[in-house]
Amino acid sequence: MCGIIGYIGHRHAVSVILDGLKRLEYRGYDSAGIAVVVNNELQLRRCVGKIVKLEEILEKETLSSHQGLGHTRWATHGRPCEENAHPHTDCKGEIVIVHNGIIENYLTLREKLKKEGHTFKSETDTEVLVHLIEQYFPKTEKLKPHQLLSAVEKALKEVEGSYALGVISGKLPGVIIAARQDSPLIVGLGEPVSPTGGKENFIASDVPAILPYTNKVIYLENEEVALVTQENVEVFNKQGKEVKKTIQYISWDPVTAEKSGYKHFMLKEIHEQPQVIQDTFRGRMFPDKGEISFEDLSLAEYKEIKKVSIIACGTSYHAGLVGKFLLENLAGLPCEVDIGSEFRYRQPIIDSQTLALVISQSGETADTLAGLRIAKTKKAKTLAICNVMGSSAAREAEKVIYTRCGPEIGVASTKAFTGQLTVLYLLSLALGLERKELPLGLVKRIMSHLLLIPGQAEDILANQETLLSLSSEFFEKRDFLYLGRNINYPIALEGALKLKEISYIHAEGYPAGEMKHGPIALIDREMPVVVIATKSSVYGKILSNIEEAKAREGIVIALATEGDKKIKDKVDRVIYLPENLEILSPIVNVIPLQLFAYHIAVKRGCDVDQPRNLAKSVTVE
């Protein structure tokens, strides 16, 4: 999750920008860069690695400037290297841009611009934007601020995808253009330092970057463009009409600011899931055509595989269990799922016709990496799903698909899980198409419903009254049983794991059909039973399991589909959820279980972000 900071004012710009970049480090990045205006010329400094390296470069010279942009990049298009680091310039080096997001049609635009004589220096999608702006920027000597604004607006009309961007030009000092579509961007409003002036303004991708300098911000909305000078800020909508913005006053301290006002990182990360899901399928899934593509991955090489072996641990293992259903049902591929720590001690029957799929948020999980290495010795094809660019799993697997979750700081994984599920949906659909196991019409239908998930997740997050009430009612219970069937059995496991991890309450996840094989002995009037009973092909069987639990005086809390009145008479409490296809239900159903665990942990006074005895990345066996 990249970071942006822009400054124009009376201070030393390099110092302000470096400070802002440091405050955005928590977002994760693999390279950093800065551009400032010095004597009407742009000066760029970029490097791979941490901001401290950029600082070392800048300490060797004096760049006296009061205007500039900074960026931390988390690579999506093109490997981490200096050429791909932001900021990027046009052919003449007169315009510079920093950009968060993904330009989906960049290949088409790149080829068009090449034919028109543009030369590209990087592998990024971002560079296309600055060349487009160059095309529309007047070549005259006397320029006005709105001419740069107009050039940006015209360029953005050709772009498909998401962006938060800052633009400056050496030919037009004293101006920063900011624009936003689906990626967050704010404008910070500085105070005059004296009655005669000295005002300053900022742009940033998040509040922490500018909080030491101002607590007054304007939040840009989708398709808005801002013209920022030292003395003024103007905001325009996509029709070019000026918009009057409300100034928001931020009362966070710096630590709270990193959490964007949320009490805990875990809660912040739960609320980021709609964006994470959208970011993970954006630029990869094309519902109108029924096509899926991944960066640097040709699915043709998996045409001859006979089975998939998934290796993962913890929450990633639960994602793998959902993946088994998807790969077998959508791609027609036999699939086995192993916990990494067990896989390494058996003799798996895998070979060159096996796809070994490792799943890890950090890409550094020791047992998962051990399984990956075993698979490589057996000549299996290897593919990693992970969240951290340049991690061990990403480097050691032959291919990698990144989730686009940004840094996950809370130890109990939430958004990484839904990011992993999103990738598994895309991968299973893509393999189903490649292997001709799925009709195109069905693929398009599933894709169109997948597009609904971010909005449905937003609805769940906006309506937590029932979950808050349930947490107050049940936070003192000592044991919980979670039940699910079919593709939602892994979600029962994940719901129970979340409760265990952060509230220290004993919880078991079980396939509902296994109740009579042991767990039913635990059920009594003190045992809450959480049942995933959303609309599905096994709905009737789940109702029978609920009857069994109620016959033993169990307290049944059901996740049900909106409009299901039948279930109200059969259970004690109901959490209603938006309806979607059964095969997509896990990604919707897990969110209320995450929230339920979170609210109970808060009620119990637990350390939500750093539960006892747990580490974010398990790098030892």
Side-chain angles (χ1 to χ4, degrees):
M1 196 180 289
C2 310
I4 287 174
I5 172 74
Y7 176 75
I8 185 166
H10 55 86
R11 303 177 198 262
H12 181 48
V14 171
S15 298
V16 174
I17 292 166
L18 282 174
D19 182 48
L21 291 179
K22 288 176 186 176
R23 294 174 187 277
L24 295 173
E25 281 191 292
Y26 70 94
R27 297 166 69 90
Y29 64 103
D30 49 52
S31 59
I34 188 171
V36 292
V37 179
V38 180
N39 298 325
N40 291 13
E41 289 187 358
L42 292 171
Q43 296 290 331
L44 268 70
R45 303 294 184 267
R46 305 179 296 183
C47 70
V48 176
K50 297 301 180 184
I51 291 167
V52 65
K53 290 183 66 176
L54 183 62
E55 275 188 299
E56 290 170 359
I57 293 168
L58 291 164
E59 282 173 359
K60 296 174 183 176
E61 55 188 320
T62 302
L63 293 177
S64 181
S65 173
H66 299 291
Q67 175 190 356
L69 297 170
H71 191 270
T72 51
R73 176 181 186 253
W74 195 55
T76 54
H77 294 74
R79 67 195 187 283
C81 64
E82 186 175 334
E83 291 78 12
N84 290 334
H86 293 221
H88 289 289
T89 66
D90 64 320
C91 293
K92 298 178 182 177
E94 295 176 345
I95 303 168
V96 77
I97 188 171
V98 291
H99 165 234
N100 293 350
I102 296 170
I103 306 304
E104 294 174 4
N105 60 335
Y106 85 100
L107 287 175
T108 304
L109 292 171
R110 190 181 180 106
E111 289 308 309
K112 170 179 169 284
L113 288 162
K114 278 184 175 180
K115 289 176 183 176
E116 293 170 358
H118 291 256
T119 303
F120 287 82
K121 304 168 189 172
S122 77
E123 304 166 289
T124 67
D125 56 336
T126 297
E127 195 181 355
V128 164
L129 266 173
V130 74
H131 285 273
L132 282 173
I133 295 166
E134 178 194 2
Q135 280 202 321
Y136 293 112
F137 196 45
K139 307 299 186 286
T140 56
E141 288 299 317
K142 292 184 179 179
L143 293 166
K144 297 180 180 179
H146 283 79
Q147 289 176 302
L148 182 57
L149 175 79
S150 176
V152 172
E153 288 175 326
K154 289 175 182 176
L156 291 177
K157 286 179 181 176
E158 298 191 40
V159 163
E160 297 171 13
S162 62
Y163 51 80
L165 57 89
V167 182
I168 59 176
S169 172
K171 290 178 64 180
L172 190 62
V175 176
I176 299 176
I177 305 298
R180 181 249 166 116
Q181 173 66 41
D182 288 338
S183 289
L185 195 65
I186 61 172
V187 178
L189 307 176
E191 298 284 357
V193 295
S194 72
T196 57
K199 192 176 174 67
E200 59 190 350
N201 287 312
F202 309 77
I203 68 168
S205 49
D206 209 350
V207 169
I210 61 173
L211 200 54
Y213 308 100
T214 181
N215 69 338
K216 296 192 298 182
V217 303
I218 290 170
Y219 289 91
L220 295 183
E221 301 298 333
N222 279 347
E223 299 183 313
E224 289 185 343
V225 182
L227 192 161
V228 182
T229 65
Q230 182 174 347
E231 297 292 337
N232 194 33
V233 175
E234 299 172 83
V235 180
F236 302 88
N237 62 20
K238 67 176 181 178
Q239 286 81 32
K241 294 182 178 178
E242 187 169 359
V243 180
K244 297 299 179 185
K245 303 293 290 185
T246 302
I247 297 172
Q248 305 287 334
Y249 291 85
I250 307 299
S251 58
W252 306 334
D253 58 65
V255 173
T256 305
E258 290 186 3
K259 299 173 186 172
S260 299
Y262 291 100
K263 187 174 182 180
H264 297 98
F265 279 111
M266 183 181 177
L267 185 61
K268 175 177 182 280
E269 288 154 8
I270 290 171
H271 277 261
E272 286 174 341
Q273 287 177 116
Q275 188 67 51
V276 163
I277 295 163
Q278 190 174 67
D279 286 347
T280 299
F281 66 59
R282 185 185 294 280
R284 292 167 169 170
M285 182 177 77
F286 306 94
D288 54 333
K289 301 175 185 175
E291 293 178 0
I292 293 169
S293 64
F294 297 101
E295 317 87 88
D296 305 320
L297 176 64
S298 170
L299 292 170
E301 61 187 279
Y302 299 145
K303 226 172 187 177
E304 303 304 317
I305 62 172
K306 301 298 183 187
K307 75 168 186 177
V308 179
S309 178
I310 296 177
I311 307 161
C313 298
T315 287
S316 297
Y317 169 70
H318 298 156
L321 290 174
V322 176
K324 174 182 170 68
F325 283 93
L326 299 177
L327 289 162
E328 292 186 342
N329 293 347
L330 298 177
L333 278 166
C335 182
E336 57 188 27
V337 188
D338 277 273
I339 295 172
S341 56
E342 295 300 317
F343 181 86
R344 67 194 298 185
Y345 294 115
R346 71 180 183 89
Q347 294 298 316
I349 302 172
I350 59 177
D351 55 26
S352 60
Q353 291 185 308
T354 302
L355 173 61
L357 178 61
V358 298
I359 307 175
S360 168
Q361 187 280 137
S362 66
E364 303 294 346
T365 310
D367 290 317
T368 303
L369 290 172
L372 170 61
R373 290 158 190 158
I374 291 167
K376 290 175 75 172
T377 65
K378 293 180 176 289
K379 309 300 182 188
K381 294 185 181 299
T382 56
L383 173 65
I385 295 175
C386 75
N387 190 42
V388 180
M389 190 76 60
S391 62
S392 296
R395 294 194 309 271
E396 294 185 30
E398 293 167 337
K399 300 289 181 181
V400 60
I401 303 174
Y402 288 107
T403 55
R404 295 167 176 164
C405 302
E408 188 178 63
I409 296 168
V411 168
S413 182
T414 52
K415 64 177 180 174
F417 180 71
T418 47
Q420 290 165 353
L421 290 185
T422 305
V423 169
L424 286 164
Y425 282 116
L426 297 180
L427 180 63
S428 301
L429 288 169
L431 287 171
L433 282 169
E434 186 68 35
R435 294 165 53 81
K436 303 192 183 330
E437 292 283 339
L438 290 174
L440 185 60
L442 177 58
V443 172
K444 288 184 175 181
R445 181 167 180 256
I446 293 172
M447 287 183 184
S448 66
H449 281 77
L450 186 55
L451 287 174
L452 301 176
I453 300 286
Q456 293 181 330
E458 291 278 13
D459 290 342
I460 295 167
L461 293 165
N463 298 284
Q464 297 183 38
E465 293 83 2
T466 301
L467 292 163
L468 283 163
S469 174
L470 288 172
S471 68
S472 296
E473 186 176 353
F474 292 104
F475 76 97
E476 292 181 315
K477 294 294 182 182
R478 296 182 62 184
D479 303 279
F480 275 77
L481 185 62
Y482 284 68
L483 300 176
R485 293 193 86 133
N486 196 17
I487 199 167
N488 277 298
Y489 156 53
I491 302 307
L493 293 175
E494 178 61 14
L497 177 63
K498 285 286 123 354
L499 192 65
K500 279 184 279 201
E501 284 180 310
I502 63 172
S503 75
Y504 318 142
I505 294 173
H506 172 250
E508 296 284 349
Y510 258 89
E514 281 288 291
M515 267 217 302
K516 289 181 180 176
H517 296 271
I520 201 166
L522 297 169
I523 298 177
D524 60 19
R525 66 183 63 186
E526 293 299 319
M527 170 71 84
V529 182
V530 180
V531 184
I532 301 172
T534 47
K535 186 177 178 182
S536 72
S537 58
V538 293
Y539 178 73
K541 295 184 182 297
I542 282 285
L543 290 184
S544 297
N545 298 134
I546 289 172
E547 297 279 8
E548 291 169 347
K550 288 302 297 174
R552 276 78 184 175
E553 299 187 311
I555 308 164
V556 177
I557 304 165
L559 267 62
T561 303
E562 286 174 349
D564 184 352
K565 296 178 182 177
K566 184 192 297 187
I567 204 164
K568 285 191 87 170
D569 298 328
K570 296 182 179 294
V571 303
D572 298 279
R573 306 287 185 272
V574 183
I575 302 165
Y576 281 113
L577 302 175
E579 182 176 356
N580 209 313
L581 300 179
E582 178 182 3
I583 201 163
L584 296 175
S585 60
I587 204 168
V588 174
N589 292 344
V590 75
I591 296 172
L593 299 183
Q594 295 169 343
L595 287 166
F596 183 54
Y598 171 80
H599 290 308
I600 282 183
V602 170
K603 285 281 184 185
R604 290 168 66 89
C606 299
D607 188 343
V608 172
D609 286 333
Q610 296 182 329
R612 66 189 183 203
N613 305 331
L614 297 179
K616 185 61 186 167
S617 180
V618 183
T619 56
V620 295
E621 182 182 358

